[in-house]
């Protein structure tokens, strides 16, 4: 029997996504004036697919076999090849700030949902008091 439902796992995956997206957006904003810098974005679908692929671990049983790639924290991060500035920089600061605000709301909603799940569990453990 599982102590937590599949909901907790889904919330955890969502929090991982939001955290990676926040780091990516922050990095884009920090490089807004860097010549030639290309903005990066996070795709939930590709991140989820990469995590599922990582669950299917392979073991190298012979030194003649190919090595398997390792897990990376940049899963799901892709480069956007647009240039918004004359120096080749691809960061649209207005879009980044909008994405950051939207991501913060998404993250807070997930944290609130997780808190509600823990409060429900706490109520059950205390016998409804």
């Amino acid at each position: 029997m599982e102590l937590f439902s599949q909901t907790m796992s889904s919330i955890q995956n969502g929090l991982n996504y939001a955290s990676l997206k926040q780091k990516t957006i922050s990095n884009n904003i920090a490089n807004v004036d860097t010549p030639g810098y290309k903005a990066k974005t996070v795709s939930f679908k590709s991140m989820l697919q990469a995590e599922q692929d990582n669950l299917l671990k392979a073991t190298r049983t012979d030194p003649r076999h190919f090595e398997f790639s390792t897990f990376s924290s940049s899963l799901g991060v892709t480069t956007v090849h647009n240039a918004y500035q004359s120096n080749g920089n691809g960061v649209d600061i207005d879009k980044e700030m909008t994405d950051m605000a939207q991501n913060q709301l998404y993250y807070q909603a997930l944290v609130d949902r997780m808190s509600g799940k823990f409060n429900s569990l706490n109520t059950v453990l205390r016998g409804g008091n």
Side-chain angles (χ1 to χ4, degrees), residues 49-117:
Q49 182 63 45
E51 284 189 23
Q52 287 175 346
D53 292 345
N54 190 46
L55 292 175
L56 301 172
K57 297 196 185 264
T59 305
R60 188 173 175 197
T61 59
D62 189 291
R64 294 174 291 178
H65 293 166
F66 289 111
E67 290 188 31
F68 300 99
S69 61
T70 58
F71 181 76
S72 170
S73 63
S74 62
L75 293 174
V77 178
T78 57
T79 302
V80 179
H81 296 285
N82 293 333
Y84 290 102
Q85 300 176 22
S86 61
N87 63 3
N89 187 292
V91 177
D92 179 358
I93 192 67
D94 293 329
K95 179 187 178 308
E96 298 299 327
M97 296 302 287
T98 301
D99 288 349
M100 180 177 276
Q102 186 177 27
N103 190 57
Q104 288 171 339
L105 291 171
Y106 176 70
Y107 186 88
Q108 189 60 49
L110 289 171
V111 168
D112 289 345
R113 183 66 186 128
M114 184 175 278
S115 177
K117 293 294 263 182

Side-chain angles (χ1 to χ4, degrees), residues 9-63:
S9 177
S10 297
I11 292 172
Q12 181 181 359
N13 287 339
L15 289 171
N16 289 341
Y17 163 74
S19 177
L20 179 59
K21 186 165 180 133
Q22 183 73 16
K23 289 176 189 175
T24 304
I25 293 169
S26 297
N27 193 36
N28 288 343
I29 291 171
N31 286 289
V32 70
D33 292 325
T34 304
Y37 179 82
K38 300 299 179 199
K40 294 175 181 41
T41 187
V42 179
S43 167
F44 184 74
K45 182 179 177 182
S46 62
M47 183 179 166
L48 185 61
Q49 182 63 45
E51 284 189 23
Q52 287 175 346
D53 292 345
N54 190 46
L55 292 175
L56 301 172
K57 297 196 185 264
T59 305
R60 188 173 175 197
T61 59
D62 189 291

